[in-house]
Amino acid sequence: MSTRRANYIFTSESVSEGHPDKVADRISDTVVDAFIGADPYARVACETLVTTNRIILAGEVRTGDDKMRALIEGLEDKVRDAVRDIGYAQKGFHWANAHYECHLHAQSADIAMGVDGGHNKDEGAGDQGIMFGYATDETPELMPATLQYSHNILKALAKARHSGERPELEPDAKSQVTLIYENGRPVRASSIVLSTQHKDGLTPRDIHVLAEPYIRAVFPDGFITDETEWHVNPTGNFVIGGPDGDAGLTGRKIIVDTYGGAAPHGGGAFSGKDPTKVDRSAAYACRYLAKNVVAAGLAAKCTIQISYAIGVSKPLSFYVDTHGADTVDPAKLEKVLPELIGGASPRAIREHLGLNRPIYARTSAYGHFGREPDSEGGFSWEKTDLVAELKRAV
């Protein structure tokens, strides 16, 4: 992989939970949680479309026949609750009034045959593909600073909206942060972009004054200077938003979900997929391992790639890039890291990270990485519990 030069300017963006694509992701992951909560080994591949007062689900699921029908019939209330939790009660997209359609059906028997474990066969990968994980010591979360600050801006504004502190704000929003890097480290903000949906009657200047304190609180001291460019609601008005302003689809914000463009992405989306789908589980495992490498002080940055064939349990390849760090041989890590998670088979990853739990709706906004592990097993891939073992091993 190429090494980025020492001095440069880099940008990442984020979108809020109310962005139409994120509404779709939230709904798809709500479906995953509903099935995994009822049957830890259920199979789910759910795609969602949202547009003006319309919610459409499609995809494949598998569990016991009677249970499957009951679960599908019970999804509507869960989906509407998710939309209400985001905050949509607008004329053009309302949690209670939007037309709902569900076209989920049984998983293909051909796919099931290749993925299921058996007497002489371990569980295979749910699809072929390549997955990446990344970590960097730019931030305490071991995430790229441009993306982490973009997420943090929107999380701060969403918190103010949900609490009632800022009732002027509506759910749909986007942020973008451009940072100046010197000697490979972020030192100050070149520009900050925020577009946020709002109540009618507010000007861009009103939104700027409202949002600026929340934005400034996100950055380290000295990052925002008199030379930082601000672009707040640059179109001039943002009243019509969310699925009423733009259709949303599951899986269209994969760079927001991962590393903001600072690292490669294999191409597969996460939301709407149960953990047998390596698009999701193996990407989580790669982040977990890369984060532990950086947390152990073995590299300032670490990128990991893994690949699979559908129906095959053993990874086809495992690649580690420590971006020039001379503290450890990447070839040594390529041998050690998979063994720390049972060889990195789909089953081993699920069991090591405890992924067969209803923990996915919480991942659908503000990134799948750089989050705090929680008591219910969410974000288990953000733990740094391999550090001591990794140091001993290398």
Side-chain angles (χ1 to χ4, degrees):
M1 293 183 181
S2 62
T3 302
R4 191 175 288 131
R5 64 186 190 274
N7 300 321
Y8 56 92
I9 298 175
F10 195 75
T11 303
S12 295
E13 70 157 347
S14 181
V15 298
S16 73
E17 65 196 290
H19 185 281
D21 294 331
K22 283 287 140 199
V23 175
D25 284 346
R26 171 69 177 274
I27 291 170
S28 292
D29 275 338
T30 295
V31 172
V32 173
D33 282 354
F35 275 83
I36 295 290
D39 176 359
Y41 301 101
R43 301 287 168 78
V44 185
C46 177
E47 312 293 342
T48 301
L49 163 69
V50 290
T51 185
T52 301
N53 269 332
R54 190 169 293 271
I55 301 168
I56 302 172
L57 276 59
E60 303 79 46
V61 294
R62 194 185 80 188
T63 185
D65 288 342
D66 292 339
K67 186 180 290 186
M68 185 170 73
R69 284 193 293 270
L71 284 167
I72 289 175
E73 289 170 1
L75 285 176
E76 181 173 354
D77 287 344
K78 296 179 185 296
V79 167
R80 293 190 185 280
D81 285 346
V83 174
R84 177 170 56 181
D85 185 60
I86 293 169
Y88 276 113
Q90 300 171 357
K91 181 179 179 181
F93 193 71
H94 195 294
W95 66 270
N97 301 331
H99 178 71
Y100 170 86
E101 297 177 35
C102 181
H103 302 284
L104 293 171
H105 59 83
Q107 183 189 46
S108 161
D110 291 346
I111 293 175
M113 179 176 63
V115 175
D116 289 350
H119 180 64
N120 295 314
K121 175 182 176 294
D122 193 8
E123 176 185 292
D127 201 352
Q128 70 176 48
I130 58 175
M131 298 86 210
F132 287 92
Y134 179 71
T136 172
D137 65 359
E138 291 178 14
T139 61
E141 297 88 354
L142 303 187
M143 287 289 287
T146 49
L147 180 64
Q148 193 63 48
Y149 299 148
S150 295
H151 284 328
N152 290 350
I153 288 169
L154 296 181
K155 285 194 286 186
L157 291 172
K159 183 178 179 180
R161 174 175 63 85
H162 281 296
S163 70
E165 183 178 314
R166 286 301 180 187
E168 307 96 325
L169 299 177
E170 295 283 12
D172 194 0
K174 300 178 77 170
S175 64
Q176 186 170 284
V177 171
T178 301
L179 297 181
I180 297 170
Y181 284 71
E182 295 178 356
N183 297 317
R185 309 298 297 179
V187 294
R188 59 189 177 276
S190 171
S191 64
I192 298 166
V193 181
L194 173 70
S195 295
T196 181
Q197 188 185 18
H198 57 83
K199 304 287 188 186
D200 199 8
L202 296 174
T203 67
R205 179 60 186 167
D206 294 332
I207 300 299
H208 189 143
V209 171
L210 179 158
E212 184 171 343
Y214 298 97
I215 294 172
R216 285 186 176 274
V218 161
F219 289 89
D221 290 343
F223 263 59
I224 296 178
T225 70
D226 291 342
E227 285 152 14
T228 300
E229 294 181 25
W230 292 75
H231 300 280
V232 177
N233 280 20
T235 63
N237 205 41
F238 191 179
V239 174
I240 300 171
D244 187 31
D246 190 11
L249 294 170
T250 303
R252 285 206 301 196
K253 288 294 176 283
I254 57 176
I255 301 303
V256 170
D257 286 343
T258 54
Y259 307 106
H265 191 296
F270 301 158
S271 290
K273 298 176 181 176
D274 74 78
T276 67
K277 277 70 171 176
V278 284
D279 277 342
R280 181 167 223 159
S281 55
Y284 288 176
C286 287
R287 160 64 178 175
Y288 174 60
L289 295 175
K291 186 175 183 181
N292 275 270
V293 168
V294 174
L298 301 178
K301 298 179 181 180
C302 181
T303 302
I304 293 175
Q305 186 210 54
I306 195 168
S307 67
Y308 294 90
I310 188 169
V312 179
S313 63
K314 183 180 179 181
L316 304 183
S317 64
F318 191 92
Y319 169 81
V320 177
D321 182 1
T322 54
H323 299 267
D326 58 6
T327 52
V328 62
D329 181 1
K332 175 71 171 177
L333 290 173
E334 288 167 358
K335 294 180 180 179
V336 168
L337 289 172
E339 295 309 312
L340 294 179
I341 54 171
S345 70
R347 183 194 299 274
I349 289 170
R350 287 191 298 101
E351 292 177 351
H352 187 95
L353 295 177
L355 298 181
N356 287 103
R357 290 184 274 193
I359 54 174
Y360 296 105
R362 70 197 71 180
T363 69
S364 60
Y366 312 117
H368 292 244
F369 309 129
R371 311 284 289 274
E372 284 292 325
D374 61 48
S375 60
E376 297 174 336
F379 304 103
S380 59
W381 50 94
E382 289 298 305
K383 293 180 180 178
T384 53
D385 53 353
L386 297 180
V387 166
E389 190 174 359
L390 188 54
K391 286 181 176 179
R392 286 195 301 269
V394 301

